[in-house]
Amino acid sequence: MRRALGSRIALYVVLGLGALAFLFPFCYMVIGSLQTDLDTSVRGAFPDPGNVSLDNYVAIDSRIDLVQGLINSGIFTGGVLLGTIVFGVLAGYALAVLHWRGRNAVFALALLVQVIPFQLLMIPLYVMIARDYGLSDSYLGMILPFFINSTAVVIFRQYFLQLPPDLFSAARIDGAGEFRLLWSVALPLVRPALLTAVLLTFIGPWNEFLWPFLITKQASLQPLAVSLANFMSNVAASTSNPFGAMMAGAVVLAVPAVTLFIVFQRYFTTNDLGSGVKG
Amino acid sequence: MTADAALAADRTGDDSVRPATGGAPPHRGRRRLSGAQQPLGMLFSAPYVVFIVLVFAWPILFAVWMSFQDYFFAAPGADVERPFVGLDNYAAVIRDPDVWQAFRNVGVFLLINVPLTVVLSIVLATALDRVVHARTFFRVSYYVPYVTASVAVVAVWLFLFSSGGLVNNVLGPLAPDPSWLVNSALAMPTIALFVTWKGLGFYILLYLAALQNVPKELYESVAMDGGGRLRQFFSVTVPSVRPATLLVVLLATITGANLFTEPYLLTGGGGPNGASTSPVLLIYQRGIEQGNPDVAAAIGVILIVFVLIIAALQRRFVGGEDS
Protein backbone atom coordinates (compact mmCIF):
# COMPACT_ATOMS: atom_id res chain seq x y z
CA MET A 1 0.00 0.00 0.00
CA ARG A 2 2.69 2.44 1.01
CA ARG A 3 4.75 1.50 -2.03
CA ALA A 4 1.85 2.18 -4.36
CA LEU A 5 1.27 5.60 -2.78
CA GLY A 6 4.96 6.43 -3.06
CA SER A 7 5.05 5.56 -6.72
CA ARG A 8 1.92 7.64 -7.32
CA ILE A 9 3.52 10.64 -5.65
CA ALA A 10 6.69 10.15 -7.68
CA LEU A 11 4.55 10.05 -10.82
CA TYR A 12 2.91 13.39 -10.11
CA VAL A 13 6.22 14.95 -9.08
CA VAL A 14 7.80 13.96 -12.41
CA LEU A 15 4.81 15.21 -14.40
CA GLY A 16 4.55 18.38 -12.33
CA LEU A 17 8.22 19.27 -12.82
CA GLY A 18 7.80 18.56 -16.53
CA ALA A 19 4.74 20.80 -16.79
CA LEU A 20 6.58 23.57 -14.95
CA ALA A 21 9.51 23.38 -17.38
CA PHE A 22 7.10 23.56 -20.31
CA LEU A 23 4.81 26.30 -19.07
CA PHE A 24 7.19 28.58 -17.20
CA PRO A 25 8.68 30.27 -20.30
CA PHE A 26 5.15 31.10 -21.48
CA CYS A 27 4.15 32.68 -18.18
CA TYR A 28 7.45 34.53 -18.18
CA MET A 29 6.78 35.72 -21.72
CA VAL A 30 3.39 37.17 -20.77
CA ILE A 31 4.74 38.77 -17.56
CA GLY A 32 7.77 40.17 -19.37
CA SER A 33 5.62 41.61 -22.15
CA LEU A 34 3.67 43.62 -19.55
CA GLN A 35 6.65 45.01 -17.63
CA THR A 36 7.41 48.64 -18.24
CA ASP A 37 10.91 48.17 -16.86
CA LEU A 38 12.23 44.69 -17.43
CA ASP A 39 13.15 42.90 -14.25
CA THR A 40 15.53 39.99 -14.87
CA SER A 41 15.94 39.13 -11.21
CA VAL A 42 14.05 36.20 -9.71
CA ARG A 43 11.39 38.64 -8.48
CA GLY A 44 10.71 39.62 -12.09
CA ALA A 45 9.35 36.16 -12.76
CA PHE A 46 6.29 37.00 -10.71
CA PRO A 47 3.66 39.58 -11.67
CA ASP A 48 4.10 42.95 -9.98
CA PRO A 49 1.03 45.20 -10.15
CA GLY A 50 3.18 48.30 -9.84
CA ASN A 51 5.10 47.52 -13.02
CA VAL A 52 2.37 46.64 -15.51
CA SER A 53 1.49 48.45 -18.72
CA LEU A 54 0.74 47.86 -22.36
CA ASP A 55 3.66 50.07 -23.45
CA ASN A 56 5.51 47.17 -25.05
CA TYR A 57 2.50 46.28 -27.20
CA VAL A 58 2.25 49.87 -28.37
CA ALA A 59 6.00 49.94 -29.05
CA ILE A 60 6.01 46.77 -31.17
CA ASP A 61 2.86 47.82 -33.04
CA SER A 62 4.51 51.10 -34.04
CA ARG A 63 7.43 49.15 -35.59
CA ILE A 64 5.59 46.29 -37.24
CA ASP A 65 1.90 46.35 -38.12
CA LEU A 66 0.58 43.58 -35.86
CA VAL A 67 -2.90 43.48 -37.40
CA GLN A 68 -1.59 43.32 -40.96
CA GLY A 69 0.87 40.62 -39.87
CA LEU A 70 -1.94 38.55 -38.37
CA ILE A 71 -4.03 38.99 -41.53
CA ASN A 72 -1.10 37.85 -43.70
CA SER A 73 -0.49 34.83 -41.45
CA GLY A 74 -4.21 34.06 -41.70
CA ILE A 75 -4.29 34.23 -45.50
CA PHE A 76 -1.15 32.07 -45.79
CA THR A 77 -2.52 29.49 -43.33
CA GLY A 78 -6.03 29.59 -44.83
CA GLY A 79 -4.72 28.94 -48.34
CA VAL A 80 -2.71 25.94 -47.17
CA LEU A 81 -5.68 24.56 -45.21
CA LEU A 82 -8.01 24.98 -48.19
CA GLY A 83 -5.70 23.09 -50.55
CA THR A 84 -5.00 20.38 -48.00
CA ILE A 85 -8.65 19.78 -47.15
CA VAL A 86 -9.99 19.80 -50.71
CA PHE A 87 -7.25 17.91 -52.52
CA GLY A 88 -5.97 15.97 -49.51
CA VAL A 89 -9.42 14.49 -48.83
CA LEU A 90 -9.79 13.56 -52.49
CA ALA A 91 -6.39 11.84 -52.54
CA GLY A 92 -6.95 10.16 -49.16
CA TYR A 93 -10.32 8.84 -50.34
CA ALA A 94 -8.85 7.55 -53.60
CA LEU A 95 -6.00 5.85 -51.71
CA ALA A 96 -8.28 4.17 -49.16
CA VAL A 97 -11.51 3.36 -50.97
CA LEU A 98 -10.93 3.21 -54.71
CA HIS A 99 -8.93 0.61 -56.64
CA TRP A 100 -6.83 1.93 -59.45
CA ARG A 101 -3.53 1.43 -61.16
CA GLY A 102 -0.77 3.34 -59.39
CA ARG A 103 -2.51 3.56 -56.04
CA ASN A 104 0.33 1.91 -54.13
CA ALA A 105 2.94 4.01 -55.89
CA VAL A 106 1.14 7.22 -54.90
CA PHE A 107 0.83 6.10 -51.28
CA ALA A 108 4.52 5.17 -51.15
CA LEU A 109 5.25 8.66 -52.51
CA ALA A 110 3.13 10.27 -49.78
CA LEU A 111 5.21 8.45 -47.16
CA LEU A 112 8.53 9.21 -48.85
CA VAL A 113 7.83 12.92 -49.18
CA GLN A 114 7.54 13.21 -45.41
CA VAL A 115 11.13 12.16 -44.79
CA ILE A 116 12.63 14.65 -47.24
CA PRO A 117 13.72 17.72 -45.30
CA PHE A 118 11.70 20.43 -47.02
CA GLN A 119 14.35 23.05 -46.51
CA LEU A 120 16.77 21.20 -48.75
CA LEU A 121 14.48 22.17 -51.60
CA MET A 122 14.82 25.82 -50.65
CA ILE A 123 17.27 26.86 -53.37
CA PRO A 124 15.58 25.18 -56.38
CA LEU A 125 12.15 26.30 -55.14
CA TYR A 126 13.41 29.83 -54.63
CA VAL A 127 14.83 29.92 -58.16
CA MET A 128 11.61 28.53 -59.64
CA ILE A 129 9.03 30.44 -57.66
CA ALA A 130 10.76 33.75 -57.04
CA ARG A 131 12.94 34.06 -60.13
CA ASP A 132 11.29 32.08 -62.93
CA TYR A 133 7.61 32.60 -62.12
CA GLY A 134 8.03 36.00 -60.48
CA LEU A 135 5.86 35.05 -57.52
CA SER A 136 7.90 36.67 -54.79
CA ASP A 137 5.95 39.12 -52.65
CA SER A 138 2.68 37.33 -53.34
CA TYR A 139 0.40 35.11 -51.27
CA LEU A 140 0.44 32.51 -54.05
CA GLY A 141 4.21 32.18 -53.88
CA MET A 142 4.00 31.80 -50.11
CA ILE A 143 1.30 29.10 -50.26
CA LEU A 144 2.46 27.08 -53.26
CA PRO A 145 5.14 24.85 -51.65
CA PHE A 146 2.79 23.90 -48.78
CA PHE A 147 -0.45 23.71 -50.77
CA ILE A 148 -1.21 20.02 -50.05
CA ASN A 149 0.09 18.54 -46.82
CA SER A 150 1.27 14.93 -47.26
CA THR A 151 0.88 14.11 -43.57
CA ALA A 152 -2.78 15.09 -43.83
CA VAL A 153 -3.20 12.86 -46.91
CA VAL A 154 -1.86 9.91 -44.89
CA ILE A 155 -4.20 10.73 -41.98
CA PHE A 156 -7.25 11.01 -44.27
CA ARG A 157 -6.39 7.68 -45.90
CA GLN A 158 -6.05 6.06 -42.49
CA TYR A 159 -9.48 7.27 -41.38
CA PHE A 160 -11.23 6.32 -44.62
CA LEU A 161 -9.68 2.84 -44.33
CA GLN A 162 -11.43 2.38 -40.98
CA LEU A 163 -14.88 2.76 -42.55
CA PRO A 164 -16.53 -0.59 -43.38
CA PRO A 165 -16.31 -1.39 -47.14
CA ASP A 166 -19.89 -2.71 -47.12
CA LEU A 167 -21.07 0.80 -46.47
CA PHE A 168 -19.68 1.89 -49.82
CA SER A 169 -20.96 -1.19 -51.66
CA ALA A 170 -24.44 -0.58 -50.31
CA ALA A 171 -24.44 3.05 -51.38
CA ARG A 172 -23.10 2.11 -54.82
CA ILE A 173 -25.91 -0.41 -55.28
CA ASP A 174 -28.31 2.43 -54.53
CA GLY A 175 -26.69 4.21 -57.46
CA ALA A 176 -24.61 6.84 -55.65
CA GLY A 177 -21.66 8.24 -57.57
CA GLU A 178 -18.21 8.50 -56.00
CA PHE A 179 -18.45 12.23 -55.33
CA ARG A 180 -21.80 11.72 -53.66
CA LEU A 181 -20.35 8.83 -51.62
CA LEU A 182 -17.42 10.91 -50.49
CA TRP A 183 -19.53 13.96 -49.68
CA SER A 184 -22.54 12.46 -47.94
CA VAL A 185 -21.34 9.08 -46.65
CA ALA A 186 -17.62 9.14 -45.99
CA LEU A 187 -16.96 12.76 -44.94
CA PRO A 188 -19.61 13.00 -42.21
CA LEU A 189 -18.17 9.84 -40.66
CA VAL A 190 -14.62 11.12 -40.49
CA ARG A 191 -15.33 14.57 -39.09
CA PRO A 192 -12.90 14.08 -36.15
CA ALA A 193 -10.18 13.24 -38.67
CA LEU A 194 -10.83 16.50 -40.43
CA LEU A 195 -10.25 18.39 -37.19
CA THR A 196 -7.06 16.48 -36.38
CA ALA A 197 -5.70 17.09 -39.86
CA VAL A 198 -6.70 20.75 -39.78
CA LEU A 199 -4.93 21.22 -36.44
CA LEU A 200 -1.75 19.42 -37.55
CA THR A 201 -1.74 21.35 -40.83
CA PHE A 202 -2.42 24.68 -39.16
CA ILE A 203 0.83 24.62 -37.16
CA GLY A 204 2.98 24.45 -40.30
CA PRO A 205 2.12 27.66 -42.14
CA TRP A 206 1.18 29.65 -39.03
CA ASN A 207 4.64 29.04 -37.54
CA GLU A 208 6.64 28.83 -40.77
CA PHE A 209 9.46 31.30 -40.95
CA LEU A 210 12.12 30.44 -43.52
CA TRP A 211 10.06 30.22 -46.71
CA PRO A 212 7.97 33.40 -46.38
CA PHE A 213 11.12 35.13 -45.09
CA LEU A 214 12.87 34.23 -48.35
CA ILE A 215 10.20 35.35 -50.75
CA THR A 216 8.66 38.40 -49.09
CA LYS A 217 10.63 41.60 -49.01
CA GLN A 218 7.58 43.88 -48.72
CA ALA A 219 6.73 44.38 -45.06
CA SER A 220 3.02 44.75 -45.83
CA LEU A 221 2.89 41.15 -47.12
CA GLN A 222 4.92 39.44 -44.42
CA PRO A 223 3.30 36.98 -42.04
CA LEU A 224 3.69 37.97 -38.39
CA ALA A 225 6.44 35.36 -37.73
CA VAL A 226 8.57 36.98 -40.44
CA SER A 227 8.05 40.59 -39.42
CA LEU A 228 8.67 39.73 -35.76
CA ALA A 229 11.88 37.87 -36.66
CA ASN A 230 13.05 40.82 -38.75
CA PHE A 231 12.33 43.10 -35.83
CA MET A 232 14.33 40.82 -33.52
CA SER A 233 17.38 40.62 -35.74
CA ASN A 234 17.47 44.17 -37.13
CA VAL A 235 15.44 46.80 -35.30
CA ALA A 236 15.06 45.63 -31.72
CA ALA A 237 18.26 47.27 -30.50
CA SER A 238 16.89 50.74 -31.26
CA THR A 239 13.82 50.24 -29.06
CA SER A 240 13.88 51.47 -25.47
CA ASN A 241 12.77 48.12 -24.08
CA PRO A 242 13.78 45.65 -26.84
CA PHE A 243 13.07 42.40 -24.96
CA GLY A 244 9.72 43.69 -23.74
CA ALA A 245 8.66 44.66 -27.28
CA MET A 246 9.89 41.31 -28.63
CA MET A 247 7.87 39.40 -26.05
CA ALA A 248 4.77 41.49 -26.68
CA GLY A 249 5.02 40.53 -30.36
CA ALA A 250 5.64 36.92 -29.37
CA VAL A 251 2.46 36.88 -27.27
CA VAL A 252 0.43 38.18 -30.22
CA LEU A 253 1.93 35.49 -32.49
CA ALA A 254 1.46 32.70 -29.94
CA VAL A 255 -2.06 33.41 -28.67
CA PRO A 256 -4.11 32.34 -31.75
CA ALA A 257 -2.36 28.96 -32.07
CA VAL A 258 -2.30 28.20 -28.35
CA THR A 259 -5.99 29.14 -27.92
CA LEU A 260 -7.00 26.97 -30.86
CA PHE A 261 -5.14 24.01 -29.43
CA ILE A 262 -6.50 24.38 -25.94
CA VAL A 263 -10.06 24.57 -27.27
CA PHE A 264 -9.65 21.56 -29.56
CA GLN A 265 -7.10 19.60 -27.53
CA ARG A 266 -9.34 16.51 -27.59
CA TYR A 267 -8.81 16.20 -31.33
CA PHE A 268 -5.09 16.67 -31.22
CA THR A 269 -3.75 13.12 -31.41
CA THR A 270 -1.16 11.41 -33.52
CA ASN A 271 -2.61 7.88 -33.56
CA ASP A 272 -2.96 7.75 -37.27
CA LEU A 273 0.23 9.53 -38.00
CA GLY A 274 2.09 6.87 -36.03
CA SER A 275 0.52 4.04 -37.95
CA GLY A 276 0.97 5.84 -41.24
CA VAL A 277 4.63 6.76 -41.09
CA LYS A 278 6.04 3.68 -39.45
CA GLY A 279 8.16 3.21 -42.63
CA MET B 1 6.12 -1.00 -43.95
CA THR B 2 2.53 0.21 -44.15
CA ALA B 3 2.90 0.50 -47.89
CA ASP B 4 3.86 -3.17 -48.03
CA ALA B 5 0.89 -4.12 -45.89
CA ALA B 6 -1.41 -2.14 -48.16
CA LEU B 7 0.12 -3.90 -51.17
CA ALA B 8 -0.49 -7.29 -49.60
CA ALA B 9 -4.07 -6.41 -48.71
CA ASP B 10 -4.65 -5.21 -52.22
CA ARG B 11 -3.36 -8.41 -53.76
CA THR B 12 -5.52 -10.69 -51.63
CA GLY B 13 -8.48 -8.42 -52.29
CA ASP B 14 -8.09 -8.82 -56.04
CA ASP B 15 -7.63 -12.59 -55.77
CA SER B 16 -10.80 -13.10 -53.82
CA VAL B 17 -12.75 -11.18 -56.40
CA ARG B 18 -11.43 -12.81 -59.54
CA PRO B 19 -12.61 -16.41 -59.05
CA ALA B 20 -16.08 -15.24 -58.12
CA THR B 21 -16.49 -13.14 -61.22
CA GLY B 22 -14.44 -15.34 -63.65
CA GLY B 23 -15.91 -14.03 -66.88
CA ALA B 24 -19.52 -14.74 -66.00
CA PRO B 25 -21.59 -11.88 -67.44
CA PRO B 26 -24.31 -11.77 -64.75
CA HIS B 27 -21.68 -10.99 -62.13
CA ARG B 28 -20.19 -8.05 -63.95
CA GLY B 29 -22.21 -5.58 -61.89
CA ARG B 30 -20.96 -7.05 -58.64
CA ARG B 31 -17.42 -7.00 -59.87
CA ARG B 32 -17.56 -3.29 -60.57
CA LEU B 33 -18.78 -2.73 -57.05
CA SER B 34 -16.20 -4.64 -55.09
CA GLY B 35 -12.76 -4.94 -56.60
CA ALA B 36 -12.29 -3.85 -60.19
CA GLN B 37 -10.33 -0.89 -61.44
CA GLN B 38 -11.82 2.48 -60.63
CA PRO B 39 -9.98 4.98 -62.79
CA LEU B 40 -11.74 7.78 -60.90
CA GLY B 41 -9.10 7.22 -58.21
CA MET B 42 -6.48 8.52 -60.59
CA LEU B 43 -8.54 11.62 -61.22
CA PHE B 44 -9.10 12.18 -57.48
CA SER B 45 -5.40 12.02 -56.66
CA ALA B 46 -4.18 13.81 -59.78
CA PRO B 47 -3.91 17.23 -58.08
CA TYR B 48 -1.83 15.72 -55.29
CA VAL B 49 0.46 13.89 -57.71
CA VAL B 50 0.94 17.04 -59.78
CA PHE B 51 1.78 18.90 -56.57
CA ILE B 52 4.39 16.31 -55.51
CA VAL B 53 6.02 16.38 -58.94
CA LEU B 54 6.05 20.18 -59.01
CA VAL B 55 7.21 20.86 -55.47
CA PHE B 56 9.33 17.80 -54.61
CA ALA B 57 10.44 15.65 -57.54
CA TRP B 58 11.25 18.41 -60.01
CA PRO B 59 13.09 20.68 -57.50
CA ILE B 60 15.26 17.76 -56.36
CA LEU B 61 16.29 16.98 -59.95
CA PHE B 62 16.76 20.69 -60.56
CA ALA B 63 19.01 20.98 -57.48
CA VAL B 64 21.18 18.05 -58.58
CA TRP B 65 21.47 19.49 -62.09
CA MET B 66 22.23 22.96 -60.70
CA SER B 67 25.02 21.60 -58.52
CA PHE B 68 26.91 20.52 -61.67
CA GLN B 69 26.51 23.85 -63.48
CA ASP B 70 27.97 27.28 -63.10
CA TYR B 71 24.56 28.61 -62.08
CA PHE B 72 23.88 32.19 -61.12
CA PHE B 73 20.82 34.39 -60.76
CA ALA B 74 19.75 36.30 -63.84
CA ALA B 75 16.79 38.47 -64.74
CA PRO B 76 13.69 36.40 -65.63
CA GLY B 77 13.69 35.47 -69.29
CA ALA B 78 17.31 36.54 -69.84
CA ASP B 79 19.18 34.07 -72.03
CA VAL B 80 22.43 33.34 -70.25
CA GLU B 81 24.86 30.49 -70.56
CA ARG B 82 25.33 28.30 -67.51
CA PRO B 83 28.07 25.87 -68.44
CA PHE B 84 28.52 22.38 -67.06
CA VAL B 85 31.39 22.45 -64.56
CA GLY B 86 31.43 18.86 -63.34
CA LEU B 87 32.39 18.50 -59.72
CA ASP B 88 33.74 22.05 -59.31
CA ASN B 89 30.96 23.11 -56.93
CA TYR B 90 31.46 20.00 -54.83
CA ALA B 91 35.21 20.63 -54.71
CA ALA B 92 34.53 24.18 -53.52
CA VAL B 93 32.19 22.86 -50.83
CA ILE B 94 34.66 20.26 -49.59
CA ARG B 95 37.47 22.82 -49.40
CA ASP B 96 35.25 25.17 -47.39
CA PRO B 97 36.01 24.88 -43.64
CA ASP B 98 32.65 26.52 -42.85
CA VAL B 99 30.85 23.55 -44.38
CA TRP B 100 32.79 21.09 -42.23
CA GLN B 101 32.02 23.19 -39.20
CA ALA B 102 28.29 23.30 -40.04
CA PHE B 103 28.13 19.52 -40.38
CA ARG B 104 30.09 19.08 -37.15
CA ASN B 105 27.60 21.44 -35.48
CA VAL B 106 24.64 19.41 -36.69
CA GLY B 107 26.44 16.32 -35.37
CA VAL B 108 26.70 17.93 -31.91
CA PHE B 109 23.06 18.92 -32.20
CA LEU B 110 21.94 15.36 -33.01
CA LEU B 111 24.08 13.81 -30.26
CA ILE B 112 22.32 15.98 -27.67
CA ASN B 113 18.86 16.30 -29.19
CA VAL B 114 18.07 12.73 -30.25
CA PRO B 115 18.89 10.80 -27.02
CA LEU B 116 17.38 13.54 -24.86
CA THR B 117 14.19 13.59 -26.95
CA VAL B 118 13.79 9.81 -26.85
CA VAL B 119 14.44 9.46 -23.10
CA LEU B 120 12.35 12.42 -21.96
CA SER B 121 9.39 11.75 -24.22
CA ILE B 122 9.20 8.04 -23.41
CA VAL B 123 9.42 8.71 -19.66
CA LEU B 124 6.88 11.53 -19.71
CA ALA B 125 4.49 9.60 -21.98
CA THR B 126 4.66 6.53 -19.70
CA ALA B 127 3.96 8.70 -16.66
CA LEU B 128 1.15 10.52 -18.46
CA ASP B 129 -0.36 7.20 -19.53
CA ARG B 130 -0.70 6.16 -15.89
CA VAL B 131 -2.20 9.28 -14.32
CA VAL B 132 -5.90 9.67 -13.78
CA HIS B 133 -6.10 13.22 -12.47
CA ALA B 134 -5.27 16.37 -14.38
CA ARG B 135 -4.45 14.40 -17.51
CA THR B 136 -5.68 17.12 -19.84
CA PHE B 137 -3.72 19.78 -17.99
CA PHE B 138 -0.44 17.86 -18.36
CA ARG B 139 -1.11 16.98 -22.00
CA VAL B 140 -1.86 20.58 -22.89
CA SER B 141 1.14 21.95 -21.02
CA TYR B 142 3.46 19.56 -22.87
CA TYR B 143 2.30 20.47 -26.32
CA VAL B 144 2.01 24.22 -25.86
CA PRO B 145 5.66 24.80 -26.93
CA TYR B 146 5.17 22.48 -29.91
CA VAL B 147 2.22 24.42 -31.31
CA THR B 148 3.83 27.82 -30.76
CA ALA B 149 5.94 29.45 -33.45
CA SER B 150 9.69 29.10 -32.99
CA VAL B 151 10.02 32.82 -33.58
CA ALA B 152 7.75 33.52 -30.60
CA VAL B 153 9.49 31.23 -28.11
CA VAL B 154 12.92 32.32 -29.33
CA ALA B 155 12.02 35.76 -27.96
CA VAL B 156 11.62 34.35 -24.43
CA TRP B 157 14.73 32.20 -24.61
CA LEU B 158 16.80 35.17 -25.75
CA PHE B 159 15.56 37.01 -22.70
CA LEU B 160 16.03 34.06 -20.31
CA PHE B 161 19.54 33.21 -21.52
CA SER B 162 20.91 36.69 -22.16
CA SER B 163 24.01 37.61 -20.14
CA GLY B 164 21.99 39.45 -17.46
CA GLY B 165 18.98 37.19 -17.85
CA LEU B 166 17.00 35.19 -15.33
CA VAL B 167 18.95 31.95 -15.83
CA ASN B 168 22.26 33.61 -15.06
CA ASN B 169 20.75 35.51 -12.15
CA VAL B 170 19.62 32.22 -10.64
CA LEU B 171 22.96 30.53 -11.31
CA GLY B 172 24.88 33.45 -9.79
CA PRO B 173 28.62 32.71 -9.81
CA LEU B 174 27.98 29.48 -11.76
CA ALA B 175 26.80 31.44 -14.81
CA PRO B 176 28.97 30.77 -17.86
CA ASP B 177 31.21 33.51 -19.16
CA PRO B 178 30.74 34.44 -21.97
CA SER B 179 27.04 33.78 -21.68
CA TRP B 180 25.15 30.87 -23.24
CA LEU B 181 24.36 32.04 -26.74
CA VAL B 182 27.59 33.94 -27.36
CA ASN B 183 29.80 31.16 -26.01
CA SER B 184 31.33 29.03 -28.75
CA ALA B 185 31.24 25.88 -26.60
CA LEU B 186 27.69 26.41 -25.32
CA ALA B 187 25.85 27.99 -28.27
CA MET B 188 25.06 24.75 -30.09
CA PRO B 189 24.13 22.77 -26.94
CA THR B 190 21.79 25.61 -25.92
CA ILE B 191 20.14 25.46 -29.35
CA ALA B 192 19.84 21.66 -29.07
CA LEU B 193 18.20 22.08 -25.67
CA PHE B 194 15.79 24.66 -27.08
CA VAL B 195 14.75 22.43 -29.98
CA THR B 196 14.35 19.39 -27.68
CA TRP B 197 12.13 21.37 -25.32
CA LYS B 198 10.07 22.82 -28.14
CA GLY B 199 9.42 19.57 -30.01
CA LEU B 200 8.94 17.22 -27.07
CA GLY B 201 5.14 17.59 -26.96
CA PHE B 202 4.73 16.06 -30.39
CA TYR B 203 6.92 13.08 -29.57
CA ILE B 204 5.08 12.53 -26.28
CA LEU B 205 1.85 12.33 -28.27
CA LEU B 206 3.46 9.79 -30.63
CA TYR B 207 4.53 7.63 -27.69
CA LEU B 208 1.11 7.98 -26.04
CA ALA B 209 -0.47 6.61 -29.22
CA ALA B 210 2.06 3.75 -29.28
CA LEU B 211 1.43 2.91 -25.62
CA GLN B 212 -2.27 2.31 -26.39
CA ASN B 213 -1.22 -0.74 -28.39
CA VAL B 214 0.86 -2.41 -25.66
CA PRO B 215 -1.11 -5.43 -24.34
CA LYS B 216 -1.89 -5.03 -20.63
CA GLU B 217 -1.22 -8.76 -20.07
CA LEU B 218 2.48 -8.16 -20.66
CA TYR B 219 2.65 -5.81 -17.68
CA GLU B 220 0.63 -8.23 -15.58
CA SER B 221 2.89 -11.15 -16.37
CA VAL B 222 5.98 -9.15 -15.39
CA ALA B 223 4.22 -8.05 -12.19
CA MET B 224 3.39 -11.71 -11.48
CA ASP B 225 7.08 -12.56 -11.67
CA GLY B 226 7.66 -9.89 -9.05
CA GLY B 227 8.89 -7.17 -11.44
CA GLY B 228 8.42 -3.61 -10.18
CA ARG B 229 7.59 -0.50 -12.17
CA LEU B 230 11.15 -0.06 -13.38
CA ARG B 231 11.39 -3.65 -14.52
CA GLN B 232 8.06 -3.31 -16.35
CA PHE B 233 9.28 -0.13 -18.02
CA PHE B 234 12.49 -1.66 -19.33
CA SER B 235 11.26 -5.12 -20.25
CA VAL B 236 7.79 -4.29 -21.59
CA THR B 237 7.34 -0.60 -22.41
CA VAL B 238 10.68 0.13 -24.08
CA PRO B 239 10.72 -2.90 -26.43
CA SER B 240 7.00 -2.58 -27.21
CA VAL B 241 7.25 0.99 -28.45
CA ARG B 242 10.33 0.38 -30.59
CA PRO B 243 8.56 1.26 -33.87
CA ALA B 244 7.60 4.60 -32.33
CA THR B 245 11.19 5.09 -31.15
CA LEU B 246 12.44 4.55 -34.68
CA LEU B 247 9.95 7.12 -35.94
CA VAL B 248 10.94 9.61 -33.23
CA VAL B 249 14.63 9.18 -34.02
CA LEU B 250 13.99 9.62 -37.73
CA LEU B 251 11.82 12.71 -37.28
CA ALA B 252 14.28 14.26 -34.82
CA THR B 253 17.06 13.72 -37.35
CA ILE B 254 15.04 15.38 -40.09
CA THR B 255 14.41 18.30 -37.73
CA GLY B 256 18.17 18.55 -37.17
CA ALA B 257 18.81 18.59 -40.89
CA ASN B 258 16.23 21.37 -41.26
CA LEU B 259 17.69 23.52 -38.50
CA PHE B 260 17.65 27.18 -39.50
CA THR B 261 15.35 29.46 -37.51
CA GLU B 262 16.94 28.74 -34.13
CA PRO B 263 20.60 29.39 -34.98
CA TYR B 264 19.59 32.31 -37.19
CA LEU B 265 17.60 34.08 -34.46
CA LEU B 266 19.05 32.78 -31.19
CA THR B 267 22.69 33.29 -32.10
CA GLY B 268 22.41 36.18 -34.55
CA GLY B 269 23.06 34.27 -37.77
CA GLY B 270 25.54 31.57 -36.82
CA GLY B 271 27.01 32.37 -33.46
CA PRO B 272 30.56 33.10 -32.33
CA ASN B 273 32.98 32.05 -35.11
CA GLY B 274 30.27 29.99 -36.78
CA ALA B 275 29.89 27.81 -33.68
CA SER B 276 26.19 27.36 -34.31
CA THR B 277 25.99 27.61 -38.10
CA SER B 278 23.76 24.88 -39.51
CA PRO B 279 23.96 23.47 -43.05
CA VAL B 280 20.63 25.08 -44.00
CA LEU B 281 21.84 28.42 -42.64
CA LEU B 282 24.93 28.00 -44.82
CA ILE B 283 22.74 27.16 -47.84
CA TYR B 284 20.89 30.41 -47.19
CA GLN B 285 24.08 32.45 -46.82
CA ARG B 286 25.89 30.98 -49.83
CA GLY B 287 22.87 30.69 -52.09
CA ILE B 288 20.79 33.75 -51.42
CA GLU B 289 22.92 36.28 -49.55
CA GLN B 290 26.08 35.67 -51.59
CA GLY B 291 24.36 34.66 -54.84
CA ASN B 292 25.93 31.22 -55.39
CA PRO B 293 22.91 28.94 -55.82
CA ASP B 294 25.07 26.27 -57.48
CA VAL B 295 27.30 25.92 -54.41
CA ALA B 296 24.23 26.02 -52.16
CA ALA B 297 22.62 23.25 -54.22
CA ALA B 298 25.75 21.14 -53.80
CA ILE B 299 25.58 21.59 -50.01
CA GLY B 300 21.91 20.56 -50.19
CA VAL B 301 22.74 17.38 -52.12
CA ILE B 302 25.47 16.50 -49.61
CA LEU B 303 23.01 17.14 -46.78
CA ILE B 304 20.44 14.77 -48.31
CA VAL B 305 23.11 12.05 -48.58
CA PHE B 306 24.16 12.77 -44.97
CA VAL B 307 20.54 12.38 -43.75
CA LEU B 308 20.07 9.15 -45.69
CA ILE B 309 23.25 7.63 -44.23
CA ILE B 310 22.31 8.64 -40.66
CA ALA B 311 18.75 7.33 -41.13
CA ALA B 312 20.07 3.98 -42.42
CA LEU B 313 22.48 3.69 -39.47
CA GLN B 314 19.72 4.49 -36.98
CA ARG B 315 17.44 1.93 -38.55
CA ARG B 316 20.10 -0.71 -37.96
CA PHE B 317 20.74 0.25 -34.36
CA VAL B 318 17.30 1.23 -33.15
CA GLY B 319 14.81 -0.39 -35.44
CA GLY B 320 15.75 -3.95 -36.10
CA GLU B 321 14.06 -5.76 -38.98
CA ASP B 322 10.76 -6.39 -37.24
CA SER B 323 9.56 -2.83 -36.89
Side-chain angles (χ1 to χ4, degrees), chain A residues 94 144 157 222 230 267:
Chain A
L144 204 58
R157 172 185 172 274
Q222 285 167 347
N230 282 339
Y267 297 97

Side-chain angles (χ1 to χ4, degrees), chain B residues 305-319:
Chain B
V305 174
F306 176 81
V307 172
L308 290 178
I309 291 173
I310 293 204
L313 285 177
Q314 286 166 344
R315 225 185 134 77
R316 268 190 81 154
F317 287 114
V318 187

Side-chain angles (χ1 to χ4, degrees), chain A residues 12 15 21 29 40 98-101 103-104 119-120 127 148 150 207 247 261 265 268 270-271 275 279, chain B residues 7 10 37-38 45 48 51 71 131 133 136 139 142-143 147 156 159 164 169 197 205 209 258 303-304 315:
Chain A
Y12 280 95
L15 283 173
M29 172 162 94
T40 57
L98 303 175
H99 296 258
W100 43 284
R101 201 179 281 278
R103 179 171 92 151
N104 297 313
Q119 282 152 19
L120 306 185
V127 170
I148 309 177
S150 292
N207 296 343
M247 281 187 288
F261 277 83
Q265 57 87 19
F268 189 42
T270 59
N271 281 319
S275 51
Chain B
L7 263 166
D10 208 32
Q37 291 293 318
Q38 291 160 309
S45 38
Y48 177 63
F51 170 77
Y71 197 99
V131 296
H133 303 289
T136 306
R139 253 183 63 136
Y142 292 149
Y143 70 53
V147 302
V156 197
F159 182 44
N169 276 335
W197 170 81
L205 287 182
N258 269 320
L303 187 54
I304 291 191
R315 225 185 134 77

Side-chain angles (χ1 to χ4, degrees), chain A residues 278, chain B residues 206-207 210 240-249:
Chain A
K278 225 165 262 176
Chain B
L206 271 184
Y207 272 120
S240 299
V241 297
R242 212 159 68 174
T245 304
L246 183 65
L247 181 62
V248 168
V249 169

